[in-house]
Amino acid sequence: MELKLTVRVQEYPPAEYVVDDHPMVVGRDATCDIQVPSNYVSRRHFQIEPAGEEFRYVDLGGRNPVLLNGQPIADGSTLVPGDSLSIADIYIDVKGDGVSTGTVVFVPKAAPPPAPRPAAPATSPGGIQNVWHGQNLGPGGTLTIMFTDLEKSTNMVTELGEREAYQVMTLHNSILREQLQAFRGHEAKRVGDGFLVLFASARDALNCAVGIQRNLAKAPVGAFGAIRVRIGIHVGEVIWDENDIFGSAVNFSARVMSEAQGTEILISALLREMIAVSGEFSFGEEKVVPLKGFKGDHRLTQVVWDESSSAAPNTR
């Protein structure tokens, strides 16, 4: 009794494996019995093991959900011919007349046709790409996460009227997106009147935040007054599916932003520890605060920025 597994991942040649009377671990790590070279697959994602005359799925804590025939799979579920598993853009079809001839095929979902590239990336909550401007933003990697928020935007329409409020938001969006483009920030989604942005580089993220504040400070002041944006940045792993991006690090970054004031850039203690060694940035006051949803108090630090100079893209 055995299963023949044919693994197919885009840009890689097919690889065949056989599961017989020994459990086999499926994951991205080279030590796994079945290695799947995709960042949507965790280092040790799940296991296929024999159970009498059947083969059973065993969850190993993979970050991205595994679906069985379109529904979340339960630990211990039996795999039978005709089943279909999926992990993000990886499809796993179980084929054959019986368990002895079943074939599991890993096939990446066809990539959508490329959209025309605007001057700044459009919001696409379901379109988070594995590679963004040559950077690997796939799950399983450590990313720098930025949240921005426009201060006092709640009553903007009431105070200014729809036309003036629209002009303010257009200017706000244009300035932020110009900096995101310059520093390779991936606009994951809009959050209220701000953005959730991912960076492969912590230096890019901080340079982008400084660029945003400097350019907003030079923007024309209208009836709304100066456009004041608060920014919070943290570093950690993120999880996403077709419709959203989430995870503890994402939530933490949002809480850091909520502690900032307009024109302020706040970063987490972990991010400061990572970036301080570069000597590229200046830091101001440190505050110790509780963050909703996270135990204990947390140290947050201001990033100092100078209005008198303009930000330039990182050319490294």
Side-chain angles (χ1 to χ4, degrees):
M1 179 181 64
E2 63 183 29
L3 281 179
K4 182 180 179 183
L5 310 182
T6 302
V7 180
R8 303 183 192 276
V9 180
Q10 193 172 19
E11 300 180 357
Y12 289 86
E16 293 189 349
Y17 301 86
V18 174
V19 181
D20 44 30
D21 57 347
H22 298 288
M24 298 191 74
V25 175
V26 179
R28 191 177 74 248
D29 196 90
T31 61
C32 292
D33 303 296
I34 303 173
Q35 185 184 14
V36 183
S38 169
N39 284 322
Y40 290 113
V41 178
S42 297
R43 291 179 174 83
R44 294 172 61 86
H45 207 112
F46 66 89
Q47 180 171 285
I48 298 175
E49 62 180 32
E53 297 299 315
E54 301 174 327
F55 285 89
R56 187 171 59 184
Y57 167 90
V58 179
D59 178 41
L60 297 180
R63 283 180 294 274
N64 281 320
V66 179
L67 304 182
L68 173 62
N69 302 324
Q71 300 296 324
I73 188 171
D75 190 38
S77 294
T78 299
L79 301 179
V80 299
D83 282 343
S84 177
L85 299 173
S86 61
I87 307 172
D89 66 350
I90 304 296
Y91 286 97
I92 309 169
D93 297 322
V94 182
K95 299 181 179 179
D97 297 329
V99 293
S100 61
T101 58
T103 300
V104 179
V105 183
F106 290 66
V107 183
K109 183 167 57 178
R117 281 181 75 178
T123 303
S124 179
I128 297 175
Q129 300 177 30
N130 193 29
V131 176
W132 176 258
H133 288 199
Q135 306 171 101
N136 185 357
L137 295 183
T142 300
L143 302 178
T144 304
I145 308 155
M146 174 195 291
F147 271 90
T148 75
D149 182 61
L150 175 60
E151 189 179 65
K152 298 189 295 185
S153 62
T154 306
N155 300 322
M156 185 167 57
V157 174
T158 303
E159 295 177 2
L160 301 180
E162 291 184 355
R163 183 174 179 178
E164 292 292 335
Y166 174 78
Q167 291 176 348
V168 172
M169 287 306 304
T170 299
L171 178 59
H172 164 274
N173 294 349
S174 175
I175 290 173
L176 266 67
R177 284 179 169 145
E178 181 181 74
Q179 294 304 306
L180 301 188
Q181 183 78 0
F183 293 102
R184 304 191 302 167
H186 174 67
E187 183 184 325
K189 66 177 180 179
R190 290 292 304 274
V191 183
D193 294 317
F195 297 98
L196 165 55
V197 189
L198 303 179
F199 297 84
S201 161
R203 291 177 65 237
D204 280 348
L206 267 66
N207 276 315
C208 180
V210 170
I212 287 171
Q213 299 294 21
R214 287 173 176 167
N215 283 277
L216 287 174
K218 294 185 293 184
V221 177
F224 182 68
I227 299 176
R228 294 166 54 89
V229 166
R230 50 185 181 167
I231 299 176
I233 314 177
H234 180 51
V235 62
E237 294 192 351
V238 301
I239 306 170
W240 55 68
D241 57 23
E242 292 183 355
N243 300 309
D244 204 359
I245 177 171
F246 52 96
S248 176
V250 176
N251 296 337
F252 195 93
S253 179
R255 299 304 182 199
V256 173
M257 182 273 292
S258 68
E259 293 295 324
Q261 304 298 317
T263 77
E264 189 175 28
I265 303 168
L266 276 186
I267 64 173
S268 65
L270 177 59
L271 179 54
R272 176 174 180 171
E273 183 178 350
M274 289 178 57
I275 201 67
V277 294
S278 72
E280 185 175 350
F281 303 96
S282 298
F283 303 103
E285 177 186 355
E286 181 180 88
K287 61 175 73 174
V288 180
V289 295
L291 297 178
K292 184 178 179 181
F294 295 90
K295 294 181 179 179
D297 291 332
H298 302 270
R299 292 182 292 112
L300 308 179
T301 304
Q302 293 178 345
V303 176
V304 176
W305 57 274
D306 181 5
E307 291 185 23
S308 62
S309 57
S310 60
N314 189 350
T315 56
R316 59 178 172 76

